[in-house]
Every structure is written in C-alpha cells, then in structure tokens.
Amino acid sequence: MASLSLPRFQFRPLGNPRSRWLGTVGGIAIALTTAIAAPAPAAQNPVIQVGIVQRFGENLQDRITLEALPGEQLTLSFETQGQPQTVTTSRVVLSLAPEPLPEATLGERVVLSNHRSFETAEYSAEQWRQRGIEPEIAQPGSWEVWANRDTYNSPLVRRLLVQNLQAQGFTEVFLDSEVVGQIPKAYFEANGYRYQRDTLDIRASGGRVRVIQTGETPVTRVYGGTLRVQPNTYGTYTLVNSVPIETYLRGVVPHEIGPSAPVPAIQAQTVLARTYALRNLRRFAIDDYQLCADTQCQVYRGLTGTAPVADHAIQATQGQVLTYENELVDALYSSTTGGVTAAFSDVWDGPDRPYLRPVVDSVYGLWNINQYPLNSEESIRRFMAIDEGFNEDTWQLFRWRNESTLTEITQDLKGYLSKRQHPMAGLSQVKSVRVSERANSGRVQAIDIETDLGVVQLKKDEIVRVLTAPRSLLFYVEPMYSTPAAVGTAPVTEGSPPAASSQLVGYAFVGGGWGHGVGMSQTGSYRLGNLGWSYPRILQFYYPGTTLQPIGENLTFWRDPVQQ
C-alpha cells in the first residue's frame, strides 16, 4: 500500500492573479489563482479526492454498506454536539430518511449555460467572468455554469440578472427554481446504534474498505485509502475516496485500456491517467472534492479488478507525467479516433493546445493532413472510404453507419431543448439536417437542423450529446427517402437525386471513431505497441512536442489557457 503522506502544494500566480475557491488537496484547503504548481519532491505520490458515489440521496431507498476485510476493523470519526467521537466496528450501513423542513424553502440558481463536458463549461465560465459575472461550475447532472450563489444571493437579484441577460440576447439563461419541503438526511448504523450525521470519516486498519451499493444491480468494490461521507451542493451526499495517486491508478489503468493490451500501450495509458488526474484536480471545487469515478473523468473502480500487468506498468512509470513547457498536458485520450485525431478546439470551446493537433493514426503515411485537410464534404468522404492501413482498422467502431428517422431526430432535439428551457423547445417537426461547418480534422463543428419553428444550430460536442445516431464528430450525413412504391427506405448519395414522388424520412450518419478523438487513440496504441513501439514513442506520436518528466516542484499542474 502506498504512503498516505499529504502533498505540499505551492502556488505561483501568473499575470493578474484572481483567487477562486478550489477545495482541498489531501485535506488542505486551497484557493486557485491562474496556476497550480506541483508539490515538492517529497510528495511524488500525492493524495487525491475522488467522488465514488456522487449524489447519494437522489433515491431515498439508496443504501451503502461499508465493511472491513476479514481480520480488520473500521474506525468511524464524526462529531457529536461539536465534540469529536470515534466508533470502531467491522460494518457500517449508510441510509437516508426524509426530513421535513419547518417551512418550505425556495431552492434556485441562475443557470448561465449548460454543457456536455467540463472543458467547454470551464471556458464558458471564463467568458462570463470577463463579462463581469462571477460564475461557478457545477454538475447536478450535466455540466452547468451558474451565477455565483453568494454574489446573487436573493430572489430579486437573481431575477434581475436573468431579465438583464435575456434582454441582452442570452436567451438560454434561465432561473432553475424549486420549492423544497423536505430534504434527505443521511444516517449510519454501527454496532446496533443509529447516528444521524452529515459528515462521517471512515478508515480501515488495513487501509482497504469494501463498499457495497444497493440498487437493481448491486455493486461491490474494495477501495484503498480512506472514505468520507459529506454533503454536496445539490442537497444530497457524496462518498469521497482519499487515495494516493499511484494506488488510484490501479483502479483506472486496467479499466481504461484493458489488461490484454500490449505492455507499451498500458504504460502509455498509465502516464496519461496519472497526468490527467493531477491536471484536473479543480473539476469539483464546488463540492469540495476533485475527481469523479466515471467517464466524465476517468473510470475508477478502486482495488476491484486490478491486473498484474497494469501494476507493473504503474511501477515502471512511477511518478512520470507528460508535460509541455514544464506544465502538465491536457492528457486527453479516447477509444477510437476513426483514423485521425482532433485538435482541442475541434471538440470543445477554448484555445488550442500546441500538442493536441490532428494526427493521422497510421504508420504508413496514408494521408497528408496538412496538404489535404478534411474540412470539405468531398475530402471527408474520400478519407472515410479508406478502411485499411490505419492503426485502428480492425476495430468495430473504426467505421460505422447509423440511421435515424426524422421522428427520432425530432425527439432527440425536443428533449434537449426542453431541459435547457430553450425558446424553440415547442417545435413539432424536424425538416432537414445539414453539416454547416467542418474542421481540418474532419470533425463536424456545426450542424443546422431546420424545424417548423426555425433553424437550431448544434455545435461541436453538443452534437453527439443531442443526437443518438453519431458516435463521434467524424461523420457525414446522407438523406434517406421513401417512395410510395418502395418498401422501407433507401439512402440517396451525392449525385443520385430522389425521384419526384420521394419523401425525406431521415438521415444516415456515416462516420468513424468512438469518443472525442483528441489525443491518444487507445485502440491505435494497441497496434503501435504490437509493432514494438515504446511508450515514450507512442506518447510522442499522439502528443508531438511533449516531454516525459517526474512529478517535481518545477512543474505547473494547471495554468488557465485563456490567460496565456
């Protein structure tokens, strides 16, 4: 088991520093300026906080059982009437009970914008800050940017803000309000006693805790480090795992890359997972923890499902991170790119990263992306017609074709607009779909959907958030028509106009890849590893101009790209 020593974080403000609340690192409260510097060399294995159950309490029937492993004990720490108290047990059950409030209260926040990803939400927050509105980034379900609740702290002020912004043309800003009559209150049972507490710390004598979640499919996992139950921003609770980064990687690497991958690919994945985690400690500042355990961060399953080959990769790369000009890189990666990686701004809003640029995922020089960019319909169709010679070409999702009827597209769009309280949410019919902008990497930048109420434009990763059919942004569309004499539908390709009696019934989305496509292709790294490439070479292929370094005080973990 790795050491639980706490990292010592230092901060080097850059440019015009502006403090923002970040939360805690290893239990130490910190504020964020425009940069986070790396810990001192003694903290090469910093402790991070991962929300493994993010919103415990959304269902009052939820239960979480925490157990010590055989021969071990749990120590529970909490406060009773302001005084610290500890209880030793082998098993504790966390449950919920509704607590009626003395009188109903108004819970509300001003939602400035709504996003599929943290990356775009963070950029949006900076844009609101530059307009003079202090934001907060939250994740009640999807990512949202809120007007700071401490600043806009009364119903009148919040309504005036919404009215003012909507008058300026920000029509998607809205007030999310609900009347709250009761709240879920957590309690725990241990040794035959019941305790109602909002905060509980759990530590095992052997450093490992078994966590059992109830539900339709019960989940049992073992976690290293310590656990803490704490309230979050949404009126529920979060179970947070404080775990050293090297132990954390044991629960990430085998689930992200797969233990059957070639060793160099697993080593490359390990460096990326370590870099990604340490660069992204700010994600859940609003809830006082740092990372989540699902694909909105990295898949993390504790010590359940560890693999010797992954453990060896963690040891072989211990403390190594990928950097650019002494700053941790945005260590983004995805399952399958479809043959070409994407630039950062092809998928999310915000400035590009020099090391995240389109790379043709082949060792054979199949396509010169600089000479022949994929930003036209003709070029993307020619590129997609090549289905051999790429690092990923044996994988199922390298190429795909998914069809969607106009009715299905209408349902997708209406559901999305309704959740955002969009003024066009009342549409009843989608009439056509057209790609209106494409990046050099071939990624769709904007798609125009004509409806009976007007045109709705979806941009970048919002497209795959809204529409069911595309698996990535690397696609083109083909209209599908039906005729009175035909049974079913048939696609009509470019140069084959429909018959006069044909009726548009939907679209085929023809594409490649699965995921955002930025940075390393996990499936592509399999091929490179099998070819005998080392993990530094694989990383250099997907992140040109970067450098491998050990965690050290000379590194900056994160610097606001907007301020550079």
Side-chain angles (χ1 to χ4, degrees), residues 39-95:
Q44 297 248 328
N45 191 16
V47 175
I48 61 175
Q49 283 78 49
V50 187
I52 57 174
V53 181
Q54 288 183 272
R55 286 171 284 277
F56 176 62
E58 286 184 328
N59 184 341
L60 289 174
Q61 307 308 312
D62 289 346
R63 297 287 185 275
I64 300 177
T65 301
L66 309 174
E67 295 179 344
L69 299 188
E72 301 177 4
Q73 289 285 300
L74 302 178
T75 298
L76 313 181
S77 302
F78 50 94
E79 288 191 356
T80 299
Q81 298 180 344
Q83 297 300 313
Q85 183 176 352
T86 61
V87 170
T88 301
T89 185
S90 60
R91 184 175 184 269
V92 59
V93 179
L94 306 175
S95 303

Short mmCIF file of all heavy atoms in Angstrom, two decimals, residues 39-95:
data_model
loop_
_atom_site.label_atom_id
_atom_site.label_comp_id
_atom_site.label_asym_id
_atom_site.label_seq_id
_atom_site.Cartn_x
_atom_site.Cartn_y
_atom_site.Cartn_z
N PRO A 39 3.62 19.69 -6.36
CA PRO A 39 4.08 19.55 -4.98
C PRO A 39 5.59 19.43 -4.92
O PRO A 39 6.26 19.16 -5.91
CB PRO A 39 3.41 18.26 -4.52
CG PRO A 39 3.21 17.48 -5.77
CD PRO A 39 2.92 18.49 -6.84
N ALA A 40 6.12 19.61 -3.73
CA ALA A 40 7.55 19.44 -3.53
C ALA A 40 7.93 17.99 -3.80
O ALA A 40 7.09 17.09 -3.78
CB ALA A 40 7.91 19.83 -2.09
N PRO A 41 9.23 17.70 -4.07
CA PRO A 41 9.64 16.35 -4.43
C PRO A 41 9.23 15.29 -3.42
O PRO A 41 9.04 14.13 -3.78
CB PRO A 41 11.17 16.48 -4.51
CG PRO A 41 11.41 17.91 -4.84
CD PRO A 41 10.33 18.67 -4.14
N ALA A 42 9.09 15.64 -2.13
CA ALA A 42 8.71 14.65 -1.12
C ALA A 42 7.31 14.11 -1.35
O ALA A 42 6.93 13.09 -0.79
CB ALA A 42 8.82 15.28 0.27
N ALA A 43 6.52 14.80 -2.14
CA ALA A 43 5.13 14.38 -2.36
C ALA A 43 4.96 13.86 -3.78
O ALA A 43 4.15 14.36 -4.54
CB ALA A 43 4.19 15.54 -2.10
N GLN A 44 5.74 12.87 -4.17
CA GLN A 44 5.64 12.30 -5.50
C GLN A 44 4.43 11.39 -5.65
O GLN A 44 4.12 10.95 -6.74
CB GLN A 44 6.92 11.51 -5.82
CG GLN A 44 8.18 12.36 -5.86
CD GLN A 44 8.76 12.47 -7.25
OE1 GLN A 44 8.65 11.55 -8.04
NE2 GLN A 44 9.35 13.60 -7.56
N ASN A 45 3.77 11.11 -4.52
CA ASN A 45 2.59 10.25 -4.54
C ASN A 45 1.45 10.98 -3.83
O ASN A 45 0.97 10.53 -2.79
CB ASN A 45 2.91 8.92 -3.85
CG ASN A 45 1.82 7.88 -4.06
OD1 ASN A 45 0.97 8.02 -4.94
ND2 ASN A 45 1.84 6.83 -3.25
N PRO A 46 1.01 12.11 -4.38
CA PRO A 46 0.01 12.93 -3.67
C PRO A 46 -1.32 12.23 -3.52
O PRO A 46 -1.72 11.40 -4.34
CB PRO A 46 -0.12 14.17 -4.56
CG PRO A 46 0.34 13.73 -5.90
CD PRO A 46 1.40 12.71 -5.67
N VAL A 47 -2.02 12.56 -2.45
CA VAL A 47 -3.36 12.04 -2.19
C VAL A 47 -4.37 12.90 -2.93
O VAL A 47 -4.32 14.12 -2.88
CB VAL A 47 -3.65 12.04 -0.67
CG1 VAL A 47 -5.09 11.62 -0.40
CG2 VAL A 47 -2.68 11.13 0.06
N ILE A 48 -5.30 12.23 -3.62
CA ILE A 48 -6.35 12.96 -4.34
C ILE A 48 -7.70 12.51 -3.80
O ILE A 48 -7.83 11.45 -3.19
CB ILE A 48 -6.26 12.73 -5.86
CG1 ILE A 48 -6.43 11.25 -6.21
CG2 ILE A 48 -4.92 13.26 -6.39
CD1 ILE A 48 -6.48 10.98 -7.70
N GLN A 49 -8.74 13.33 -4.05
CA GLN A 49 -10.09 13.04 -3.57
C GLN A 49 -11.01 12.72 -4.75
O GLN A 49 -11.19 13.57 -5.63
CB GLN A 49 -10.66 14.22 -2.78
CG GLN A 49 -10.12 14.35 -1.37
CD GLN A 49 -8.73 14.97 -1.33
OE1 GLN A 49 -8.49 15.98 -1.95
NE2 GLN A 49 -7.82 14.35 -0.59
N VAL A 50 -11.56 11.51 -4.74
CA VAL A 50 -12.40 11.03 -5.84
C VAL A 50 -13.80 10.76 -5.33
O VAL A 50 -13.99 10.00 -4.37
CB VAL A 50 -11.81 9.74 -6.46
CG1 VAL A 50 -12.61 9.35 -7.70
CG2 VAL A 50 -10.33 9.90 -6.80
N GLY A 51 -14.80 11.38 -5.96
CA GLY A 51 -16.19 11.12 -5.61
C GLY A 51 -16.64 9.80 -6.22
O GLY A 51 -16.93 9.74 -7.42
N ILE A 52 -16.69 8.74 -5.42
CA ILE A 52 -17.03 7.43 -5.97
C ILE A 52 -18.54 7.18 -5.98
O ILE A 52 -19.04 6.36 -6.74
CB ILE A 52 -16.29 6.29 -5.23
CG1 ILE A 52 -16.59 6.31 -3.74
CG2 ILE A 52 -14.79 6.41 -5.47
CD1 ILE A 52 -15.99 5.12 -2.99
N VAL A 53 -19.29 7.87 -5.11
CA VAL A 53 -20.75 7.92 -5.19
C VAL A 53 -21.09 9.40 -5.09
O VAL A 53 -21.01 9.99 -4.03
CB VAL A 53 -21.44 7.13 -4.06
CG1 VAL A 53 -22.96 7.20 -4.21
CG2 VAL A 53 -20.97 5.67 -4.04
N GLN A 54 -21.46 10.00 -6.21
CA GLN A 54 -21.50 11.46 -6.27
C GLN A 54 -22.76 12.07 -5.67
O GLN A 54 -22.70 13.14 -5.08
CB GLN A 54 -21.34 11.93 -7.72
CG GLN A 54 -19.92 11.74 -8.24
CD GLN A 54 -19.77 12.29 -9.63
OE1 GLN A 54 -20.01 11.60 -10.61
NE2 GLN A 54 -19.40 13.56 -9.74
N ARG A 55 -23.91 11.43 -5.86
CA ARG A 55 -25.16 12.06 -5.41
C ARG A 55 -26.00 11.03 -4.63
O ARG A 55 -27.10 10.67 -5.04
CB ARG A 55 -25.91 12.64 -6.60
CG ARG A 55 -25.28 13.93 -7.13
CD ARG A 55 -25.88 14.40 -8.43
NE ARG A 55 -25.41 13.61 -9.57
CZ ARG A 55 -24.26 13.82 -10.21
NH1 ARG A 55 -23.45 14.77 -9.80
NH2 ARG A 55 -23.92 13.06 -11.24
N PHE A 56 -25.45 10.58 -3.53
CA PHE A 56 -26.15 9.64 -2.65
C PHE A 56 -27.30 10.38 -1.97
O PHE A 56 -27.09 11.35 -1.26
CB PHE A 56 -25.16 9.10 -1.61
CG PHE A 56 -25.77 8.19 -0.58
CD1 PHE A 56 -26.36 7.00 -0.96
CD2 PHE A 56 -25.74 8.52 0.76
CE1 PHE A 56 -26.91 6.14 -0.01
CE2 PHE A 56 -26.29 7.68 1.72
CZ PHE A 56 -26.88 6.48 1.32
N GLY A 57 -28.52 9.92 -2.22
CA GLY A 57 -29.69 10.59 -1.67
C GLY A 57 -30.70 11.00 -2.72
O GLY A 57 -31.81 11.42 -2.38
N GLU A 58 -30.34 10.86 -3.99
CA GLU A 58 -31.32 11.15 -5.03
C GLU A 58 -32.49 10.17 -4.95
O GLU A 58 -33.62 10.51 -5.28
CB GLU A 58 -30.65 11.08 -6.42
CG GLU A 58 -29.75 12.26 -6.71
CD GLU A 58 -29.17 12.23 -8.11
OE1 GLU A 58 -28.93 11.13 -8.65
OE2 GLU A 58 -28.95 13.31 -8.68
N ASN A 59 -32.21 8.98 -4.49
CA ASN A 59 -33.25 7.97 -4.23
C ASN A 59 -33.20 7.63 -2.75
O ASN A 59 -32.16 7.15 -2.26
CB ASN A 59 -33.01 6.73 -5.09
CG ASN A 59 -34.11 5.70 -4.95
OD1 ASN A 59 -34.88 5.70 -3.98
ND2 ASN A 59 -34.19 4.80 -5.92
N LEU A 60 -34.28 7.86 -2.03
CA LEU A 60 -34.29 7.62 -0.59
C LEU A 60 -34.12 6.14 -0.23
O LEU A 60 -33.85 5.81 0.93
CB LEU A 60 -35.58 8.15 0.03
CG LEU A 60 -35.71 9.67 0.11
CD1 LEU A 60 -37.09 10.07 0.61
CD2 LEU A 60 -34.63 10.26 1.00
N GLN A 61 -34.25 5.26 -1.22
CA GLN A 61 -34.06 3.84 -0.96
C GLN A 61 -32.60 3.42 -1.05
O GLN A 61 -32.25 2.27 -0.77
CB GLN A 61 -34.89 3.00 -1.96
CG GLN A 61 -36.36 3.38 -2.03
CD GLN A 61 -37.03 3.40 -0.68
OE1 GLN A 61 -36.88 2.45 0.10
NE2 GLN A 61 -37.75 4.47 -0.37
N ASP A 62 -31.72 4.34 -1.43
CA ASP A 62 -30.30 4.01 -1.58
C ASP A 62 -29.71 3.55 -0.25
O ASP A 62 -30.04 4.07 0.82
CB ASP A 62 -29.51 5.23 -2.08
CG ASP A 62 -29.81 5.56 -3.53
OD1 ASP A 62 -30.39 4.71 -4.22
OD2 ASP A 62 -29.46 6.67 -3.97
N ARG A 63 -28.82 2.58 -0.34
CA ARG A 63 -28.08 2.12 0.83
C ARG A 63 -26.63 1.88 0.40
O ARG A 63 -26.37 1.42 -0.71
CB ARG A 63 -28.64 0.80 1.38
CG ARG A 63 -30.06 0.87 1.89
CD ARG A 63 -30.16 1.63 3.22
NE ARG A 63 -31.51 1.59 3.74
CZ ARG A 63 -32.47 2.45 3.38
NH1 ARG A 63 -32.22 3.39 2.48
NH2 ARG A 63 -33.68 2.35 3.91
N ILE A 64 -25.72 2.17 1.30
CA ILE A 64 -24.31 1.85 1.08
C ILE A 64 -23.81 1.14 2.33
O ILE A 64 -23.94 1.65 3.44
CB ILE A 64 -23.45 3.10 0.82
CG1 ILE A 64 -23.93 3.86 -0.42
CG2 ILE A 64 -21.98 2.71 0.66
CD1 ILE A 64 -23.17 5.14 -0.68
N THR A 65 -23.26 -0.05 2.14
CA THR A 65 -22.68 -0.80 3.25
C THR A 65 -21.16 -0.76 3.12
O THR A 65 -20.61 -1.04 2.04
CB THR A 65 -23.15 -2.26 3.23
OG1 THR A 65 -24.59 -2.28 3.33
CG2 THR A 65 -22.57 -3.03 4.40
N LEU A 66 -20.50 -0.41 4.21
CA LEU A 66 -19.05 -0.36 4.25
C LEU A 66 -18.57 -1.45 5.21
O LEU A 66 -19.03 -1.52 6.35
CB LEU A 66 -18.56 1.01 4.73
CG LEU A 66 -19.16 2.23 4.02
CD1 LEU A 66 -18.73 3.51 4.68
CD2 LEU A 66 -18.75 2.23 2.56
N GLU A 67 -17.64 -2.27 4.75
CA GLU A 67 -17.18 -3.39 5.55
C GLU A 67 -15.65 -3.42 5.62
O GLU A 67 -14.96 -3.11 4.63
CB GLU A 67 -17.65 -4.72 4.95
CG GLU A 67 -19.17 -4.90 4.97
CD GLU A 67 -19.58 -6.21 4.34
OE1 GLU A 67 -18.75 -6.83 3.63
OE2 GLU A 67 -20.74 -6.62 4.55
N ALA A 68 -15.14 -3.83 6.76
CA ALA A 68 -13.72 -4.12 6.88
C ALA A 68 -13.45 -5.49 6.27
O ALA A 68 -14.33 -6.36 6.24
CB ALA A 68 -13.29 -4.11 8.34
N LEU A 69 -12.27 -5.69 5.76
CA LEU A 69 -11.90 -7.01 5.26
C LEU A 69 -11.65 -7.94 6.45
O LEU A 69 -11.46 -7.48 7.58
CB LEU A 69 -10.65 -6.89 4.38
CG LEU A 69 -10.82 -6.01 3.13
CD1 LEU A 69 -9.59 -6.13 2.23
CD2 LEU A 69 -12.07 -6.36 2.34
N PRO A 70 -11.67 -9.24 6.23
CA PRO A 70 -11.51 -10.19 7.35
C PRO A 70 -10.29 -9.88 8.20
O PRO A 70 -9.19 -9.64 7.70
CB PRO A 70 -11.37 -11.54 6.63
CG PRO A 70 -12.12 -11.37 5.36
CD PRO A 70 -11.89 -9.95 4.94
N GLY A 71 -10.50 -9.88 9.52
CA GLY A 71 -9.42 -9.63 10.46
C GLY A 71 -9.10 -8.17 10.68
O GLY A 71 -8.17 -7.84 11.43
N GLU A 72 -9.85 -7.27 10.04
CA GLU A 72 -9.58 -5.84 10.16
C GLU A 72 -10.78 -5.13 10.78
O GLU A 72 -11.85 -5.72 10.98
CB GLU A 72 -9.24 -5.24 8.80
CG GLU A 72 -8.02 -5.89 8.15
CD GLU A 72 -7.71 -5.35 6.77
OE1 GLU A 72 -8.40 -4.40 6.34
OE2 GLU A 72 -6.78 -5.87 6.12
N GLN A 73 -10.62 -3.85 11.10
CA GLN A 73 -11.66 -3.05 11.72
C GLN A 73 -11.77 -1.70 11.02
O GLN A 73 -10.80 -1.21 10.41
CB GLN A 73 -11.35 -2.80 13.21
CG GLN A 73 -11.49 -4.04 14.09
CD GLN A 73 -12.95 -4.40 14.33
OE1 GLN A 73 -13.72 -3.61 14.89
NE2 GLN A 73 -13.34 -5.61 13.92
N LEU A 74 -12.95 -1.12 11.10
CA LEU A 74 -13.17 0.25 10.63
C LEU A 74 -13.20 1.20 11.82
O LEU A 74 -13.77 0.88 12.86
CB LEU A 74 -14.51 0.36 9.89
CG LEU A 74 -14.74 -0.53 8.66
CD1 LEU A 74 -16.15 -0.28 8.11
CD2 LEU A 74 -13.69 -0.30 7.60
N THR A 75 -12.59 2.35 11.65
CA THR A 75 -12.71 3.42 12.64
C THR A 75 -13.55 4.54 12.04
O THR A 75 -13.20 5.09 10.99
CB THR A 75 -11.33 3.97 13.04
OG1 THR A 75 -10.57 2.91 13.64
CG2 THR A 75 -11.46 5.11 14.03
N LEU A 76 -14.67 4.84 12.67
CA LEU A 76 -15.58 5.90 12.22
C LEU A 76 -15.31 7.14 13.06
O LEU A 76 -15.29 7.08 14.29
CB LEU A 76 -17.03 5.46 12.39
CG LEU A 76 -17.40 4.05 11.88
CD1 LEU A 76 -18.89 3.80 12.11
CD2 LEU A 76 -17.04 3.89 10.41
N SER A 77 -15.13 8.28 12.40
CA SER A 77 -14.87 9.55 13.08
C SER A 77 -15.94 10.55 12.68
O SER A 77 -16.24 10.71 11.49
CB SER A 77 -13.48 10.08 12.72
OG SER A 77 -12.48 9.15 13.05
N PHE A 78 -16.51 11.23 13.67
CA PHE A 78 -17.57 12.21 13.42
C PHE A 78 -17.65 13.11 14.64
O PHE A 78 -16.88 12.97 15.60
CB PHE A 78 -18.90 11.51 13.15
CG PHE A 78 -19.27 10.47 14.17
CD1 PHE A 78 -20.09 10.79 15.26
CD2 PHE A 78 -18.81 9.17 14.06
CE1 PHE A 78 -20.43 9.84 16.21
CE2 PHE A 78 -19.15 8.21 15.01
CZ PHE A 78 -19.95 8.54 16.08
N GLU A 79 -18.56 14.06 14.60
CA GLU A 79 -18.74 14.97 15.72
C GLU A 79 -20.09 14.75 16.36
O GLU A 79 -21.09 14.49 15.67
CB GLU A 79 -18.60 16.43 15.28
CG GLU A 79 -17.18 16.84 14.96
CD GLU A 79 -17.04 18.36 14.79
OE1 GLU A 79 -18.07 19.06 14.86
OE2 GLU A 79 -15.89 18.82 14.61
N THR A 80 -20.12 14.85 17.69
CA THR A 80 -21.36 14.81 18.45
C THR A 80 -21.41 16.06 19.32
O THR A 80 -20.56 16.25 20.19
CB THR A 80 -21.42 13.54 19.34
OG1 THR A 80 -21.37 12.38 18.48
CG2 THR A 80 -22.70 13.52 20.14
N GLN A 81 -22.38 16.94 19.03
CA GLN A 81 -22.52 18.21 19.73
C GLN A 81 -21.21 18.98 19.76
O GLN A 81 -20.78 19.53 20.78
CB GLN A 81 -23.04 17.99 21.15
CG GLN A 81 -24.43 17.36 21.19
CD GLN A 81 -24.95 17.14 22.59
OE1 GLN A 81 -24.19 17.17 23.58
NE2 GLN A 81 -26.26 16.91 22.71
N GLY A 82 -20.54 18.99 18.60
CA GLY A 82 -19.32 19.76 18.47
C GLY A 82 -18.07 19.09 18.98
O GLY A 82 -16.97 19.65 18.84
N GLN A 83 -18.18 17.89 19.53
CA GLN A 83 -17.03 17.19 20.08
C GLN A 83 -16.70 15.98 19.20
O GLN A 83 -17.60 15.26 18.75
CB GLN A 83 -17.32 16.73 21.51
CG GLN A 83 -17.58 17.85 22.49
CD GLN A 83 -16.40 18.80 22.60
OE1 GLN A 83 -15.26 18.35 22.74
NE2 GLN A 83 -16.67 20.10 22.53
N PRO A 84 -15.40 15.74 18.97
CA PRO A 84 -15.03 14.58 18.14
C PRO A 84 -15.36 13.27 18.83
O PRO A 84 -15.25 13.13 20.05
CB PRO A 84 -13.52 14.76 17.97
CG PRO A 84 -13.08 15.62 19.10
CD PRO A 84 -14.23 16.52 19.40
N GLN A 85 -15.81 12.31 18.04
CA GLN A 85 -16.16 10.99 18.56
C GLN A 85 -15.69 9.93 17.58
O GLN A 85 -15.70 10.15 16.36
CB GLN A 85 -17.68 10.88 18.76
CG GLN A 85 -18.15 9.55 19.37
CD GLN A 85 -19.65 9.54 19.63
OE1 GLN A 85 -20.33 10.56 19.51
NE2 GLN A 85 -20.17 8.38 20.00
N THR A 86 -15.26 8.79 18.09
CA THR A 86 -14.86 7.68 17.23
C THR A 86 -15.58 6.41 17.66
O THR A 86 -15.90 6.22 18.84
CB THR A 86 -13.34 7.43 17.27
OG1 THR A 86 -12.96 7.11 18.61
CG2 THR A 86 -12.57 8.65 16.79
N VAL A 87 -15.86 5.56 16.69
CA VAL A 87 -16.50 4.27 16.92
C VAL A 87 -15.73 3.24 16.11
O VAL A 87 -15.38 3.48 14.95
CB VAL A 87 -17.98 4.30 16.49
CG1 VAL A 87 -18.57 2.90 16.50
CG2 VAL A 87 -18.79 5.23 17.39
N THR A 88 -15.47 2.10 16.70
CA THR A 88 -14.80 1.00 16.00
C THR A 88 -15.81 -0.09 15.70
O THR A 88 -16.60 -0.48 16.57
CB THR A 88 -13.66 0.43 16.84
OG1 THR A 88 -12.71 1.48 17.13
CG2 THR A 88 -12.93 -0.68 16.10
N THR A 89 -15.81 -0.57 14.46
CA THR A 89 -16.77 -1.57 14.04
C THR A 89 -16.21 -2.33 12.86
O THR A 89 -15.18 -1.93 12.28
CB THR A 89 -18.12 -0.92 13.67
OG1 THR A 89 -19.08 -1.93 13.37
CG2 THR A 89 -17.97 0.00 12.46
N SER A 90 -16.86 -3.39 12.47
CA SER A 90 -16.45 -4.11 11.26
C SER A 90 -17.39 -3.82 10.10
O SER A 90 -17.08 -4.17 8.95
CB SER A 90 -16.43 -5.62 11.52
OG SER A 90 -17.72 -6.07 11.90
N ARG A 91 -18.52 -3.14 10.39
CA ARG A 91 -19.53 -2.92 9.35
C ARG A 91 -20.36 -1.71 9.70
O ARG A 91 -20.77 -1.53 10.85
CB ARG A 91 -20.42 -4.15 9.22
CG ARG A 91 -21.46 -4.12 8.12
CD ARG A 91 -22.17 -5.47 8.07
NE ARG A 91 -23.11 -5.57 6.99
CZ ARG A 91 -24.40 -5.26 7.08
NH1 ARG A 91 -24.90 -4.83 8.26
NH2 ARG A 91 -25.22 -5.38 6.06
N VAL A 92 -20.62 -0.85 8.70
CA VAL A 92 -21.48 0.31 8.90
C VAL A 92 -22.39 0.44 7.68
O VAL A 92 -21.96 0.21 6.54
CB VAL A 92 -20.64 1.59 9.12
CG1 VAL A 92 -19.72 1.87 7.94
CG2 VAL A 92 -21.56 2.79 9.35
N VAL A 93 -23.65 0.77 7.92
CA VAL A 93 -24.63 0.91 6.83
C VAL A 93 -25.06 2.37 6.77
O VAL A 93 -25.52 2.94 7.77
CB VAL A 93 -25.85 0.00 7.05
CG1 VAL A 93 -26.87 0.21 5.92
CG2 VAL A 93 -25.42 -1.45 7.12
N LEU A 94 -24.91 2.97 5.59
CA LEU A 94 -25.36 4.34 5.35
C LEU A 94 -26.75 4.30 4.73
O LEU A 94 -26.97 3.59 3.74
CB LEU A 94 -24.41 5.07 4.39
CG LEU A 94 -22.92 5.08 4.77
CD1 LEU A 94 -22.10 5.73 3.65
CD2 LEU A 94 -22.72 5.83 6.08
N SER A 95 -27.67 5.05 5.30
CA SER A 95 -29.04 5.08 4.81
C SER A 95 -29.54 6.52 4.79
O SER A 95 -28.84 7.44 5.18
CB SER A 95 -29.95 4.22 5.69
OG SER A 95 -29.48 2.89 5.77
#
